[in-house]
Amino acid sequence: METKTRHTIEFDTYPDIAALPAADAALLRQARTATRDAYAPYSRFRVGAAALLENGEVLTGTNQENASYPVGICAERTVLSVASGLHPNVPVLAIAVSYDNELAPSVAPIAPCGICRQTLMEYQARYQRPIRLILAGLSGQVIVVTDSADLMPLSFSANSMK
Ligand SMILES: [Zn+2]
């Protein structure tokens, strides 16, 4: 007889940036600004991510595309690499992600892709701290996820190799 397991997640939804806690709003504004720096000549889907570090510093990253499409890297992994490269021992507490789709309105939240979710899990395990996500377009609804691990149930991790 099998045992069924159901995984549910909770996240908070806000009607717009004005309803957010101040720190989340500040980080989201920086993510929105960062979309201007994206290198997205192929998709024209410009993603910006802003990471708040435990030392109070905010770093930004953007998607970096390539003519060889699979070579491209997402904004979330760019900013995590920047943070880890500059401050390898400082935990990342929160990441805001926004986007500017040149081909359609950017008014609904986007969520990290599967590879980025796996990467977020690694950094959470590394720093033993949950990473808060603030997700939104250039306007409109905002989703806040308090623990990135909620987005990656039944995941592969270092524990899987023990
Ligand atoms: Zn991604």
Side-chain angles (χ1 to χ4, degrees):
M1 182 75 181
E2 77 275 15
T3 301
K4 290 211 186 301
T5 302
R6 177 178 291 273
H7 179 88
T8 59
I9 69 166
E10 282 187 0
F11 54 86
D12 300 316
T13 305
Y14 298 84
D16 55 38
I17 191 172
L20 280 178
D24 290 347
L27 203 58
L28 177 55
R29 275 192 289 275
Q30 294 189 69
R32 285 175 170 170
T33 299
T35 62
R36 299 174 195 159
D37 299 327
Y39 179 65
Y42 306 104
S43 71
R44 295 169 67 185
F45 192 90
R46 310 168 66 85
V47 184
L52 171 65
L53 278 57
E54 192 181 48
N55 65 7
E57 190 169 342
V58 173
L59 300 168
T60 60
T62 58
N63 53 333
Q64 301 293 314
E65 294 184 350
N66 193 288
S68 175
Y69 285 16
V71 176
I73 183 169
C74 305
E76 297 93 320
R77 278 176 291 138
T78 298
V79 80
L80 282 167
S81 296
V82 167
S84 181
L86 292 175
H87 303 290
N89 299 312
V90 181
V92 174
L93 302 182
I95 299 177
V97 183
S98 187
Y99 66 100
D100 181 1
N101 183 354
E102 295 177 21
L103 307 176
S106 309
V107 296
I110 55 169
C113 78
I115 295 178
C116 287
R117 293 179 192 206
Q118 182 74 33
T119 305
L120 286 160
M121 293 284 294
E122 186 75 23
Y123 281 88
Q124 288 202 165
R126 175 177 174 181
Y127 294 125
Q128 292 296 299
R129 297 284 292 271
I131 297 176
R132 180 180 179 86
L133 297 176
I134 301 106
L135 310 170
L138 292 178
S139 64
Q141 189 183 68
V142 184
I143 288 175
V144 175
V145 179
T146 55
D147 183 344
S148 295
D150 283 348
L151 298 181
M152 200 75 180
L154 201 64
S155 61
F156 181 81
S157 70
N159 289 331
S160 309
M161 292 184 279
K162 287 176 183 165

